[in-house]
Amino acid sequence: MTRRAGPVMAGRVALALSLAAAAPAPARGRRASAMAEDGHPEAPSEGSGWLSSWLPAWCPTSLPHLKEAEEKILKCITSTYNKQYVFISNGNKIWTLTFSHDFSYKTPLVLLHGFGGGVGLWALNFEDLCENRTVYAFDLLGFGRSSRPQFDTDAEEAENQFVEAVEEWRQEVGLDRMILLGHNLGGFLAAAYSLKYPSRVKHLILVEPWGFPERPDNAEQERPIPIWIKALGAMLSPFNPLAGLRLAGPFGLSLVQRLRPDFKRKYSSMFDDNTVTEYIYHCNVQSPSGETAFKNMTIPYGWAKRPMLQRIAHMHQDIPITVIYGARSCIDGNSGSTIQSLRPNSYVKTIAILGAGHYVYADQPEDFNQKVKEICDSVD
């Protein structure tokens, strides 16, 4: 059955949206190094000046709160890893985890999280994936503990800022080539990066990617949108997708826990409390930055302004692509076959993970990890 990517696409990472930007200069940053986790540059938040100055006091959060929430998750990881900021241009920094043993002969695996996420959400995957190769995971620019700069309001320029941040990160870390895996928004950005820097990607893994299909001309005929939702959407259109979470202030955390109890279930093998929902909450009530960029890259209701399927045929034919979907996901599962038809002379494979929804890596982590390791082993 065809699944359509609609309003649920992006906002589900934190709340299912029920709760409701200049490109970097080419100058190189400093070498990656471990350092004290000091503050990020502030990004403009939604609304007027009085609202943006009032929101931080209204929300019971801070960067130390986010650091503490992340550390609670990572305490369960027994594998050896390093954590550090990697400095890129314009004073920005990318929060990075490195799981490395003596695997210099193997192509490293790089993980890009989805909208509203962060490195902590890969907690169920790190141990397995780093068994026989180096694994990197970092918070995308504008998300998690990475810098939160102002993005360009133009969709193409904002996308390019994300892509250039990934490339600068790669140069600073010193990677030649990588297996690039992205979930949700991370999948979209991984594809955009592969289009621009094909020589750096040995295999592209798209996990429940956002932003691939075009919005159909008859989208509203296929799935009519109630008038009240259209009215609410018009009223909230000046705001960022998760503005409602910040406006909820001290009630935001309990709201996340109430509306997304599934996250607690997904990670129940590691935690029996609200560790993961607390992490998601603190990731998304900081100053919006990547969230604002994402908003400027979308059209109603959650579709991409610059759909990737319009461009993927131009990707270098030697880059293999594997598309991973959850069999129970609401995301359009036809993108894999569409990519294959657009790249008839290239390797494209689609894998469905039984019993998994959109968060494949957390719904069925053992199956997901095994499939990703098999893909990586096919590379080297």
Side-chain angles (χ1 to χ4, degrees), residues 104-356:
S104 57
Y105 58 95
K106 291 277 191 93
T107 305
L109 171 65
V110 177
L111 308 177
L112 304 185
H113 64 77
F115 174 81
V119 294
L121 295 183
W122 300 109
L124 293 166
N125 316 109
F126 288 135
E127 306 264 20
D128 282 350
L129 297 182
C130 74
E131 280 184 349
N132 61 358
R133 74 183 59 242
T134 299
V135 175
Y136 294 88
F138 62 85
D139 288 339
L140 294 169
L141 186 67
F143 292 98
R145 295 176 64 188
S146 290
S147 295
R148 294 176 177 244
Q150 181 173 343
F151 281 78
D152 199 288
T153 57
D154 177 76
E156 184 173 1
E157 288 300 319
E159 177 187 313
N160 191 59
Q161 281 179 263
F162 280 121
V163 168
E164 287 306 308
V166 176
E167 171 58 10
E168 291 184 26
W169 173 89
R170 182 201 63 79
Q171 293 184 34
E172 292 299 327
V173 173
L175 302 185
D176 179 35
R177 302 184 73 187
M178 54 191 166
I179 299 167
L180 192 55
L181 182 154
H183 171 254
N184 186 267
L185 172 62
F188 179 88
L189 297 176
Y193 177 88
S194 302
L195 277 165
K196 190 167 185 178
Y197 297 102
S199 66
R200 302 302 179 184
V201 180
K202 290 191 75 171
H203 200 114
L204 176 61
I205 305 176
L206 304 172
V207 183
E208 288 275 321
W210 167 83
F212 273 64
E214 298 180 57
R215 182 186 180 187
D217 293 334
N218 62 340
E220 293 191 21
Q221 283 73 34
E222 288 189 1
R223 182 179 292 178
I225 299 172
I227 296 297
W228 71 270
I229 291 183
K230 290 183 181 180
L232 183 61
M235 188 169 61
L236 296 177
S237 61
F239 296 89
N240 287 313
L242 299 176
L245 178 57
R246 289 179 288 276
L247 288 169
F251 307 103
L253 179 55
S254 62
L255 206 53
V256 175
Q257 294 167 353
R258 184 176 303 173
L259 293 176
R260 296 309 306 266
D262 56 309
F263 274 108
K264 184 175 180 178
R265 293 195 298 270
K266 293 177 197 299
Y267 292 85
S268 60
S269 64
M270 300 185 81
F271 313 103
D272 58 5
D273 57 12
N274 293 310
T275 293
V276 175
T277 49
E278 288 174 5
Y279 173 69
I280 292 170
Y281 171 77
H282 289 296
C283 275
N284 289 291
V285 290
Q286 311 299 321
S287 296
S289 170
E291 178 187 335
T292 303
F294 175 80
K295 173 182 177 291
N296 292 328
M297 291 164 63
T298 65
I299 57 175
Y301 295 85
W303 301 86
K305 281 185 181 178
R306 306 181 68 244
M308 191 55 63
L309 288 181
Q310 293 180 348
R311 299 176 272 158
I312 199 121
H314 303 299
M315 187 175 292
H316 196 288
Q317 66 175 11
D318 291 341
I319 297 180
I321 298 178
T322 301
V323 186
I324 300 178
Y325 282 99
R328 295 191 295 104
S329 175
C330 58
I331 303 301
D332 185 353
N334 295 318
S335 288
S337 58
T338 304
I339 294 171
Q340 177 66 78
S341 67
L342 294 170
R343 305 179 77 232
N345 299 316
S346 301
Y347 178 94
V348 179
K349 183 177 181 179
T350 301
I351 298 173
I353 305 291
L354 297 178

Side-chain angles (χ1 to χ4, degrees), residues 27-40:
R28 294 264 56 81
R30 288 172 287 172
R31 202 67 186 156
S33 62
M35 59 166 287
E37 290 89 12
D38 55 354
H40 300 286

